Amino acid sequence: MNTDTTTDQALLRAAETIRSLRSRVDALETRLRPEPVAVVSSGCRLPGGVENPEDYWELLAEGRDAVRPLRGERWSGIDFGGLDDPGFARLSQYAGQIDDVAGFDAAFFGIGDAEAELLDPQQRVLLEIAWECLERAGWQARDLSGTATGVFVGVGHQDYLLTSLAARDDIGSRLSTGSGARSLIANRLSYEFGLRGPSMAVDTACSSSLVAVHLACQALRSGGCDRALAGGVNLILSPLSTTMTGRALPLAPDGRTKALAADADGMVRGEGAALVVLRRLSDALADGDPIEGVILADATNQDGRTNGLTAPSPVAQEQLMRRVLDASGLGAGEVTMVEMHGTGTPLGDPIEYEAVRAVYGGRGAQDPACWLGSVKANLGHLESAAGVASLIKVLGALRAGLLPEQINLKEVNPFIELEGERFGIPRRTEPWQPPEQRYAAVSSFGFGGTNAHLIVAHPDAVPAVRAHRRAAAAPAGPEAAEGPVLLPVSARSG
């Protein structure tokens, strides 16, 4: 037998074996990689007069600080038993507040006046935002009744319960369902819209809303639901929650959140509510849903034993970020924006930065710059709604191709060493990568140690979306004839 022929045949067999093994490895990696989740719409009520995501992006693009003196008229005339002691005035002079927590069209949702009076404003505002989110997704609320649509809401303080108990002598069933149980904040949405997927309130402190988004993604991937509303809410309706917060955590005396700054001296409370509507990417593409962004990977973990219950763990933060990055299928150098938790504390921000640097930094000068920021400088710390506010900021940046200025930053914290790293902090609005290269990471950390992290992409950066759009753009026959267009308008009442 010809030796050369035998060698050639062996090489061919070896090459075929390598191709087969490579194909099997690729298939295995694809199966193990989490299915992408599409953000098909979003809605919010945030400080600074923000009523929707467009208002929110305008506030960010203009570099506005929405924190203002805390208005005490919300609880004026209510006796809290002297617990709002003189220390309260020192601790709570400022907050990021939304403009209207009292206005609510109860009849629109079929809720009677007596029930509406005792309905926690956190339930009220979420009902309005959920309705708007469904409209923005192109859906009618009634069409979702009876469907496997999940609701996952980050919640925390029950301020309205405290004010109700202080102001009323009678405690009835409506108070229990209106503000007595945090579970009802999520369950109310499921009830009013007739949704039959999972419905849960999530309390992991400051990371609650991003943990809620993660749980929604898990439920979608496992088949537990086909659509999901996820987000969080936090309203400052009693002085007691601020008094408790100020005794547990440092509050900035001047009311300015100075995230990543050398003069950072504490957090500032903020309030607001926000939701995102999520679907499995394959379902969103099949149904022609709008897609604001694509969550490639997400996860949570816990700090475990640290120097104290509220002390962060840089090791746990790094492990979480690395796990999400690996699951996303991206290289560290492809992520060019990190929206940090960034509360504006002198030690917390550098600890978080070290975890970010360990995972996303140090990859060489050939990589694009990676921009760091924290929206808490604009809004204050929204606590149980903080993570979803960060996510919607990133969605706005993905859409606009711009990175907003990090305000309240004179000098960078000296323990945040940017020299020689691929990181930058935008001192003005900066242009971002082309759409097909826009990937961002979002972090949210609870003060009890529960951490959440995700990576989100511009739709054009996801091959499945690009392929779908190319197919949809292919010629499909004669164009529709021009003519009058019918614009339907409707309302619940005249």
Side-chain angles (χ1 to χ4, degrees):
M1 180 179 288
N2 188 306
T3 303
D4 291 341
T5 301
T6 303
T7 301
D8 290 344
Q9 290 174 342
L11 289 173
L12 287 172
R13 286 195 299 271
E16 182 59 34
T17 300
I18 291 171
R19 281 194 295 270
S20 176
L21 290 172
R22 184 173 294 158
S23 176
R24 291 168 62 184
V25 168
D26 290 343
L28 181 61
E29 287 181 344
T30 299
R31 286 198 300 272
L32 292 177
R33 191 168 297 156
E35 180 174 1
V37 171
V39 182
V40 301
S41 73
S42 57
C44 57
R45 297 284 188 280
L46 298 172
V50 170
E51 296 286 320
N52 52 56
E54 290 75 25
D55 289 347
Y56 187 20
W57 180 252
E58 183 178 334
L59 178 143
L60 296 172
E62 293 176 356
R64 301 202 321 258
D65 188 336
V67 172
R68 63 191 183 195
L70 183 59
R71 298 179 298 172
E73 67 267 18
R74 292 189 185 181
W75 49 80
S76 62
I78 300 175
D79 181 11
F80 288 94
L83 291 178
D84 49 336
D85 57 28
F88 168 70
R90 176 180 59 82
L91 291 170
S92 60
Q93 295 178 1
Y94 303 93
Q97 291 183 279
I98 64 176
D99 290 340
D100 181 18
V101 297
F104 177 62
D105 188 353
F108 182 87
F109 294 100
I111 298 172
D113 291 342
E115 184 177 10
E117 181 184 352
L118 294 176
L119 195 63
D120 188 336
Q122 296 184 128
Q123 293 188 34
R124 302 178 202 168
V125 70
L126 280 176
L127 279 171
E128 294 175 347
I129 294 172
W131 184 278
E132 293 167 9
C133 281
L134 298 180
E135 283 189 331
R136 293 170 72 97
W139 306 333
Q140 295 189 61
R142 65 172 179 266
D143 293 337
L144 296 188
S145 180
T147 66
T149 299
V151 177
F152 304 81
V153 180
V155 299
H157 295 292
Q158 289 178 277
D159 284 14
Y160 197 64
L161 176 62
L162 298 177
T163 58
S164 296
L165 292 174
R168 304 179 66 92
D169 295 326
D170 58 315
I171 301 176
S173 61
R174 285 198 177 98
L175 183 59
S176 297
T177 57
S179 56
R182 281 182 295 185
S183 58
L184 269 295
I185 292 176
N187 300 161
R188 174 75 65 174
L189 297 183
S190 300
Y191 170 77
E192 294 294 344
F193 298 123
L195 311 178
R196 294 189 177 172
S199 182
M200 62 188 72
V202 179
D203 185 2
T204 58
C206 320
S207 59
S208 297
S209 60
L210 208 65
V211 171
V213 171
H214 163 68
L215 293 174
C217 291
Q218 279 192 323
L220 287 164
R221 294 185 183 115
S222 69
C225 60
D226 297 322
R227 295 176 175 84
L229 288 157
V233 61
N234 182 56
L235 296 184
I236 303 171
L237 304 174
S238 164
L240 302 184
S241 62
T242 297
T243 301
M244 291 186 293
T245 301
R247 288 171 177 168
L249 299 169
L251 297 181
D254 63 356
R256 305 273 79 81
T257 301
K258 298 173 280 290
L260 312 177
D263 57 345
D265 54 0
M267 60 172 272
V268 177
R269 295 197 74 199
E271 65 178 10
L275 294 169
V276 291
V277 178
L278 306 174
R279 293 199 74 187
R280 291 181 289 270
L281 178 60
S282 56
D283 292 341
L285 291 174
D287 290 347
D289 293 329
I291 299 177
E292 297 184 3
V294 179
I295 298 173
L296 299 180
D298 50 274
T300 65
N301 76 351
Q302 233 285 338
D303 288 342
R305 189 81 176 181
T306 61
N307 292 332
L309 178 61
T310 62
S313 167
V315 174
Q317 291 178 11
E318 178 184 341
Q319 288 174 340
L320 176 64
M321 293 178 197
R322 195 173 302 281
R323 176 179 160 196
V324 173
L325 178 63
D326 290 345
S328 74
L330 299 175
E334 295 178 271
V335 175
T336 51
M337 176 187 184
V338 177
E339 175 65 12
M340 298 174 63
H341 186 59
T343 57
T345 55
L347 293 179
D349 290 355
I351 287 174
E352 181 181 359
Y353 172 72
E354 287 305 313
V356 170
R357 179 163 67 171
V359 177
Y360 295 109
R363 304 303 185 195
Q366 72 275 13
D367 287 330
C370 182
W371 297 96
L372 309 178
S374 170
V375 78
K376 293 176 181 63
N378 303 86
L379 305 178
H381 189 348
L382 270 57
E383 299 164 9
S384 51
V388 70
S390 294
L391 174 57
I392 296 178
K393 169 192 171 179
V394 169
L395 294 172
L398 288 169
R399 179 176 62 250
L402 299 170
L403 297 151
E405 170 193 359
Q406 183 64 35
I407 66 171
N408 300 336
L409 180 65
K410 296 176 183 176
E411 296 182 17
V412 177
N413 189 311
F415 296 103
I416 296 176
E417 299 178 2
L418 299 176
E419 186 69 29
E421 294 289 342
R422 61 185 290 262
F423 299 114
I425 301 174
R427 301 302 188 97
R428 59 182 183 277
T429 300
E430 296 281 354
W432 203 3
Q433 303 295 109
E436 63 275 10
Q437 297 176 23
R438 290 180 200 154
Y439 302 99
V442 183
S443 290
S444 193
F445 306 139
F447 85 138
T450 297
N451 310 310
H453 189 72
L454 61 79
I455 291 176
V456 60
H458 189 285
D460 290 348
V462 180
V465 178
R466 292 201 303 269
H468 182 85
R469 288 179 173 174
R470 282 196 300 268
E479 295 184 3
E482 295 183 4
V485 176
L486 179 65
L487 178 62
V489 178
S490 66
R492 281 292 181 98
S493 67

